[in-house]
Amino acid sequence: MNTAGLTHLNEKGEAHIVDIGDKAVTRRRAIARARLSGEAATIATILGGGLRKGDALAVARVAGIMAAKKTSELIPLCHPIPLTKVSVDIEGDGDASIVIVAAAETTGQTGVEMEALVAASTAALTLYDMAKAIDRAMVISDLCLVEKSGGKSGDFQRAS
Amino acid sequence: MNTAGLTHLNEKGEAHIVDIGDKAVTRRRAIARARLSGEAATIATILGGGLRKGDALAVARVAGIMAAKKTSELIPLCHPIPLTKVSVDIEGDGDASIVIVAAAETTGQTGVEMEALVAASTAALTLYDMAKAIDRAMVISDLCLVEKSGGKSGDFQRAS
Amino acid sequence: MNTAGLTHLNEKGEAHIVDIGDKAVTRRRAIARARLSGEAATIATILGGGLRKGDALAVARVAGIMAAKKTSELIPLCHPIPLTKVSVDIEGDGDASIVIVAAAETTGQTGVEMEALVAASTAALTLYDMAKAIDRAMVISDLCLVEKSGGKSGDFQRAS
Amino acid sequence: MNTAGLTHLNEKGEAHIVDIGDKAVTRRRAIARARLSGEAATIATILGGGLRKGDALAVARVAGIMAAKKTSELIPLCHPIPLTKVSVDIEGDGDASIVIVAAAETTGQTGVEMEALVAASTAALTLYDMAKAIDRAMVISDLCLVEKSGGKSGDFQRAS
Amino acid sequence: MNTAGLTHLNEKGEAHIVDIGDKAVTRRRAIARARLSGEAATIATILGGGLRKGDALAVARVAGIMAAKKTSELIPLCHPIPLTKVSVDIEGDGDASIVIVAAAETTGQTGVEMEALVAASTAALTLYDMAKAIDRAMVISDLCLVEKSGGKSGDFQRAS
Amino acid sequence: MNTAGLTHLNEKGEAHIVDIGDKAVTRRRAIARARLSGEAATIATILGGGLRKGDALAVARVAGIMAAKKTSELIPLCHPIPLTKVSVDIEGDGDASIVIVAAAETTGQTGVEMEALVAASTAALTLYDMAKAIDRAMVISDLCLVEKSGGKSGDFQRAS
């Protein structure tokens, strides 16, 4: 079977948590983002005139941060990681979308890309949950890794 | 403050879990989807020649199903819901993307849109996790509600 | 052994989750509170000029709400309960303390006192966590049930 | 906005998990306590003639210990910490109250005050849960940090 | 593919949580057991002269009870179930083994066999954990369903 | 009281999480196994003609792996451990039983025997869950530690 590259499967195609016991302990960082798009009126209601009004953005930030800490419970083959930092930033982008940027860090033997991605997607889904009564058709897109550093596989920087 | 429509915030803008104690107990269903796009070689490796080879798709299906059951732990203002059915389907779509479709059902007082969305996004992120060593630039998009039924707010059917 | 009254222990003194299978399904409500006391400057910083500034109170509200949903994971002999409503209110009381009031509801076979108490204590501890760098000596007190209704054991209303 | 001192909020007042990646790895300890007060008859029933009779105190000890391990799931901005020791002691204090003392330790980059506080409060709430059928008016008070050591912020020792 | 009978897989062999939305809500009970065997001295130390001495059996009982409530988090295709009763009994059986019997009940649309089995196995593993320093070779066996009732599939009663 | 050897209880017989703060950080490994026995037809259906057909074995593998990461939530006095590797192998053994072998590793201050045992038992229970509709009488036996290495207590190797 050609599963070359799928490091989480062994030569028989069976899932396992890969051995990182021999990897170096280094500082590792990752940044991920997600975009929530909807009707302009919905986006304006969520943003609500700025960060100072209402709990909506705070709830989404907290949801993203708490989800990052649950990553190894959600993604079956992720190693449990003692995160040393997590942040989630939420900003409007044009009048019809909101961009969420999540950053995670650890000092450990494996990277934190999944933690950043889980934080970004959960924050976006939380905003959807709070606004779905007025706009069920909202879409989350552009959920991706923006950059990572640390570890043997080298740094990654998304082109745009 | 104009938070009209954000049902999860009270008139002072404070977050709460809204009272559903008076809502009818009905059968409720929701279907959500997500798309994972990447290099054609990556997508082919994940799909691996079909559902019969290797655990990759099974791991993602299980991850989505288990995440659906964790929805109220992840999305702060979601009610805990006794799901009566969850399924996750994964298929290639063209040579550069994979579409995940998640369905959830309950018999209860509130809908299961968030459960379906959490299942779809977690399955997509799990595929990303397993393949990220070969293609860190993959993107998840088109994460959205496809349809819902049951409950007072009426049915929803995405146009396309 | 005299464990009369400790309904969660059997006649041999052994812990169990008591059988509620024959109890009536009724609407049940509970309200609990907690008080966080500290230096006036600390309290003022937490309250921050009102609910519109900063995430501190929103974070505590969300923490209390999410903890309520985890009650049966925390309190060993609590039944899992599908909460239909949770809210957490936080207000200053004098210049040296903050009062947290948590309300929970369900339609089920057992009460939600523990859910309300867990919400109130977790919200208070979350405020402590955010302010402990400036005032480690803060104290949480007055953590108690304020009122409950529904169920065969009758209503409860705290005197003061 | 004046959120000076609230280290868990950034300069815009937004919640985040603060970066501890540059802090020293040291042995850190914390002790917290809580007091449960009620009718003398209730307290006597809970204490039940000593540790050898019935599971009540054991259940509360286990609940406190297990809750300590869940601290970062409950307190949104807490770092996940690999605890190296947890203990919960429960003793009568006079005839109308019970004192719970919880101790936690780690070797890491941040303190364990919250772990000790969560253990103490959860043990107290668990005792309340088991005895609430006979005394719903019990109150938890004096929930506070008793001492901490380790880390750059210095040691703390409560006056009384 | 012949997966006839594996109700948790669809006709393509893919895992899903089966639809129970049309099943009747009935009272359902299940009893499971497990046996922990070891050196006579180990078993005597665990049993410790009876239920009145030490927390060992209480810790195992609590562990089993709390694990029963986590069943749908552990067993991927289990439905979340609102348990109405859980108990765990632990007794010596001869001088070289301990038998754990766990009972679970719900009023719902699916059975509680897995809840009883998870309670029994977790209680047994918890006893192993506490005694492993003196007898690492202990074995858990005879983990099985003893009886179940309620639901359309009929009652089950183990022969011996 | 004679609780000598039960390291998880103190001299008064009270449960605690033992202090490992002074233990050396070393590479620790453990292997555990479990056996699921049933009717030959059931076993054949589960094995389904090999690992390449259907999700049954993949679901059980994933369940075991995810449960290993939850060990400190399930076993009350276990320390939380950052696992560096987990794998679960499942194979038929004769025509009436299936053997599950789980391996876990960490670099830390305490061993991973419980993580391996929890993985093996959960994988076995997951297979039972998927096949119970056709053979409710299946039994799990031979759940035990096969070998461990690392740490001051020395290596362990089961005789057979």
Side-chain angles (χ1 to χ4, degrees):
Chain A
M1 185 186 336
N2 178 15
T3 56
L6 294 190
T7 51
H8 294 57
L9 304 187
N10 66 13
E11 72 286 351
K12 286 183 286 182
E14 300 167 359
H16 61 146
I17 294 190
V18 298
D19 187 0
I20 57 168
D22 290 322
K23 293 175 74 176
V25 172
T26 64
R27 180 77 76 93
R28 292 155 192 272
R29 307 169 200 251
I31 297 176
R33 75 174 174 225
R35 176 182 300 273
L36 177 69
S37 301
E39 308 245 350
T42 311
I43 300 302
T45 299
I46 294 174
L47 294 176
L51 301 178
R52 287 162 207 77
K53 285 192 183 165
D55 287 359
L57 303 192
V59 173
R61 265 193 296 274
V62 170
I65 288 168
M66 294 181 84
K69 295 192 277 187
K70 279 184 176 298
T71 300
S72 70
E73 290 182 55
L74 292 168
I75 309 297
L77 306 177
C78 266
H79 298 83
I81 287 178
L83 290 166
T84 54
K85 182 194 159 184
V86 186
S87 65
V88 174
D89 289 304
I90 303 175
E91 284 195 38
D93 182 43
D95 63 0
S97 70
I98 292 170
V99 172
I100 295 105
V101 175
E105 290 192 20
T106 194
T107 304
Q109 294 177 298
T110 190
V112 290
E113 296 98 311
M114 297 314 300
E115 283 71 13
L117 284 162
V118 166
S121 63
T122 304
L125 287 167
T126 299
L127 291 176
Y128 179 91
D129 179 47
M130 290 186 284
K132 70 181 187 294
I134 51 173
D135 187 358
R136 234 168 269 276
M138 281 183 289
V139 175
I140 293 168
S141 61
D142 199 21
L143 172 59
C144 63
L145 184 67
V146 175
E147 62 177 73
K148 76 167 274 274
S149 62
K152 192 176 152 198
S153 71
D155 294 355
F156 170 85
Q157 179 74 42
R158 183 168 291 273
S160 64
Chain B
M1 185 187 334
N2 178 15
T3 55
L6 295 190
T7 51
H8 294 58
L9 305 186
N10 67 12
E11 71 288 349
K12 287 184 286 183
E14 299 166 359
H16 61 147
I17 293 189
V18 299
D19 187 0
I20 57 168
D22 290 323
K23 294 175 74 175
V25 172
T26 65
R27 179 77 74 93
R28 293 155 192 271
R29 307 170 200 251
I31 296 175
R33 73 172 174 228
R35 176 182 299 274
L36 176 70
S37 303
E39 308 244 352
T42 311
I43 299 303
T45 298
I46 294 174
L47 294 176
L51 300 178
R52 286 163 208 78
K53 286 193 183 165
D55 286 0
L57 303 192
V59 173
R61 267 193 294 273
V62 171
I65 288 168
M66 294 181 83
K69 295 192 277 188
K70 280 184 175 298
T71 300
S72 71
E73 291 181 56
L74 291 169
I75 309 298
L77 307 176
C78 266
H79 297 84
I81 287 178
L83 290 166
T84 55
K85 183 195 158 184
V86 186
S87 64
V88 174
D89 288 304
I90 304 175
E91 284 194 37
D93 184 41
D95 62 0
S97 70
I98 292 170
V99 171
I100 295 106
V101 175
E105 290 191 21
T106 194
T107 303
Q109 293 177 300
T110 190
V112 290
E113 297 98 309
M114 297 314 300
E115 282 71 13
L117 284 161
V118 165
S121 63
T122 303
L125 286 167
T126 298
L127 291 177
Y128 179 91
D129 179 47
M130 290 188 283
K132 68 180 189 295
I134 51 173
D135 188 359
R136 234 168 270 277
M138 281 182 289
V139 175
I140 294 167
S141 62
D142 198 22
L143 173 58
C144 62
L145 186 66
V146 175
E147 61 176 74
K148 77 168 273 273
S149 63
K152 192 176 153 198
S153 70
D155 293 354
F156 171 85
Q157 178 75 42
R158 181 167 292 272
S160 63
Chain C
M1 185 186 335
N2 178 15
T3 54
L6 295 191
T7 50
H8 294 57
L9 305 187
N10 66 13
E11 70 287 350
K12 287 183 285 183
E14 300 166 357
H16 60 147
I17 294 189
V18 299
D19 187 0
I20 57 169
D22 291 323
K23 295 176 72 175
V25 172
T26 64
R27 179 77 74 95
R28 293 155 191 271
R29 307 170 201 252
I31 297 175
R33 74 174 173 227
R35 176 181 299 272
L36 177 71
S37 302
E39 308 244 352
T42 311
I43 300 302
T45 298
I46 293 173
L47 294 176
L51 300 180
R52 286 163 208 78
K53 285 192 183 166
D55 287 358
L57 303 191
V59 173
R61 266 193 296 274
V62 171
I65 288 167
M66 293 181 85
K69 295 191 277 187
K70 280 183 175 297
T71 299
S72 70
E73 290 181 55
L74 291 169
I75 309 298
L77 306 177
C78 266
H79 297 83
I81 287 178
L83 291 165
T84 55
K85 181 195 158 183
V86 186
S87 64
V88 175
D89 289 305
I90 304 175
E91 283 195 37
D93 183 43
D95 62 0
S97 70
I98 292 170
V99 172
I100 295 103
V101 175
E105 290 192 21
T106 194
T107 303
Q109 294 177 299
T110 190
V112 289
E113 297 98 310
M114 297 314 301
E115 281 72 12
L117 284 162
V118 165
S121 62
T122 304
L125 286 167
T126 298
L127 291 176
Y128 179 91
D129 178 47
M130 290 188 283
K132 68 180 189 295
I134 52 174
D135 187 359
R136 234 167 270 275
M138 282 182 289
V139 175
I140 293 168
S141 61
D142 199 23
L143 173 58
C144 62
L145 186 66
V146 176
E147 62 177 74
K148 74 168 275 272
S149 63
K152 191 176 153 198
S153 70
D155 293 354
F156 169 86
Q157 178 75 42
R158 182 167 291 273
S160 64
Chain D
M1 185 189 331
N2 178 15
T3 55
L6 294 189
T7 50
H8 295 57
L9 305 187
N10 66 13
E11 70 288 351
K12 286 183 286 184
E14 299 166 358
H16 61 146
I17 293 189
V18 298
D19 187 0
I20 57 167
D22 291 322
K23 293 177 74 175
V25 172
T26 65
R27 180 77 75 94
R28 293 153 192 273
R29 306 170 201 253
I31 296 175
R33 73 174 174 227
R35 176 181 300 272
L36 176 71
S37 302
E39 308 245 351
T42 311
I43 299 300
T45 298
I46 294 174
L47 294 176
L51 300 179
R52 286 163 207 80
K53 285 190 183 168
D55 287 359
L57 303 193
V59 173
R61 265 194 296 275
V62 171
I65 287 168
M66 292 181 85
K69 295 191 276 188
K70 280 184 175 298
T71 300
S72 69
E73 291 182 55
L74 292 168
I75 309 297
L77 307 177
C78 267
H79 297 84
I81 285 178
L83 290 166
T84 55
K85 182 194 159 185
V86 186
S87 64
V88 174
D89 289 305
I90 303 175
E91 285 194 37
D93 184 41
D95 62 0
S97 70
I98 292 170
V99 171
I100 295 105
V101 175
E105 290 191 21
T106 195
T107 303
Q109 294 178 299
T110 190
V112 289
E113 297 98 310
M114 297 314 299
E115 280 73 12
L117 285 161
V118 166
S121 63
T122 304
L125 287 166
T126 298
L127 292 176
Y128 178 92
D129 179 47
M130 290 187 283
K132 69 181 189 296
I134 52 174
D135 188 359
R136 233 167 270 278
M138 281 182 290
V139 175
I140 293 168
S141 62
D142 198 21
L143 173 58
C144 63
L145 185 67
V146 176
E147 62 177 73
K148 76 167 273 275
S149 62
K152 192 175 152 198
S153 70
D155 294 354
F156 170 85
Q157 178 74 41
R158 182 167 291 272
S160 65
Chain E
M1 186 185 334
N2 178 15
T3 55
L6 295 190
T7 50
H8 294 58
L9 305 187
N10 66 13
E11 70 287 350
K12 286 184 286 182
E14 300 168 358
H16 62 146
I17 293 189
V18 299
D19 187 0
I20 57 167
D22 290 322
K23 294 175 73 176
V25 172
T26 64
R27 179 77 74 94
R28 293 156 193 270
R29 308 169 201 252
I31 296 177
R33 74 173 174 228
R35 176 182 300 272
L36 177 69
S37 302
E39 308 243 352
T42 311
I43 299 302
T45 298
I46 294 173
L47 294 176
L51 300 178
R52 288 162 208 79
K53 284 191 183 165
D55 286 359
L57 302 192
V59 172
R61 266 193 295 275
V62 171
I65 288 168
M66 294 180 84
K69 295 191 278 186
K70 279 183 176 297
T71 299
S72 71
E73 291 181 56
L74 291 168
I75 309 298
L77 306 177
C78 267
H79 298 83
I81 287 177
L83 290 166
T84 56
K85 182 196 159 185
V86 187
S87 65
V88 175
D89 289 305
I90 303 175
E91 284 195 38
D93 183 43
D95 62 0
S97 70
I98 293 169
V99 171
I100 295 106
V101 175
E105 291 191 20
T106 194
T107 304
Q109 294 177 299
T110 191
V112 289
E113 297 98 309
M114 296 315 300
E115 282 70 14
L117 285 162
V118 165
S121 63
T122 304
L125 287 167
T126 298
L127 292 177
Y128 178 91
D129 179 46
M130 291 187 284
K132 69 180 188 293
I134 52 173
D135 188 359
R136 232 168 270 278
M138 281 182 289
V139 175
I140 294 168
S141 61
D142 198 22
L143 173 59
C144 62
L145 185 67
V146 175
E147 61 176 75
K148 77 167 273 275
S149 62
K152 192 176 153 198
S153 70
D155 293 354
F156 170 85
Q157 178 76 41
R158 182 168 291 273
S160 64
Chain F
M1 184 187 334
N2 178 14
T3 55
L6 294 190
T7 50
H8 294 58
L9 305 186
N10 67 12
E11 70 287 350
K12 287 184 285 182
E14 299 167 359
H16 61 146
I17 293 189
V18 299
D19 187 0
I20 57 166
D22 290 324
K23 293 175 74 176
V25 172
T26 64
R27 179 77 75 93
R28 293 154 192 272
R29 307 170 201 251
I31 296 176
R33 74 173 173 227
R35 176 182 299 272
L36 177 69
S37 302
E39 308 245 352
T42 312
I43 299 302
T45 298
I46 294 174
L47 294 176
L51 301 177
R52 285 162 208 80
K53 284 190 184 167
D55 286 0
L57 303 192
V59 172
R61 265 193 296 274
V62 170
I65 288 168
M66 294 182 84
K69 295 192 277 188
K70 279 184 175 298
T71 299
S72 70
E73 290 182 55
L74 291 169
I75 309 297
L77 306 177
C78 267
H79 298 84
I81 287 179
L83 290 167
T84 55
K85 182 195 158 185
V86 186
S87 64
V88 174
D89 288 305
I90 304 176
E91 284 194 38
D93 183 42
D95 63 359
S97 71
I98 292 170
V99 171
I100 295 106
V101 175
E105 290 191 21
T106 194
T107 303
Q109 294 177 299
T110 190
V112 290
E113 296 98 311
M114 297 314 300
E115 281 72 12
L117 284 162
V118 166
S121 62
T122 305
L125 287 166
T126 299
L127 291 177
Y128 179 91
D129 179 46
M130 290 187 284
K132 69 180 188 295
I134 51 173
D135 188 0
R136 233 168 269 278
M138 280 183 289
V139 175
I140 293 168
S141 62
D142 198 22
L143 173 57
C144 62
L145 185 66
V146 175
E147 61 176 75
K148 76 168 273 273
S149 62
K152 192 175 152 198
S153 71
D155 294 354
F156 170 85
Q157 177 76 39
R158 182 167 292 272
S160 63

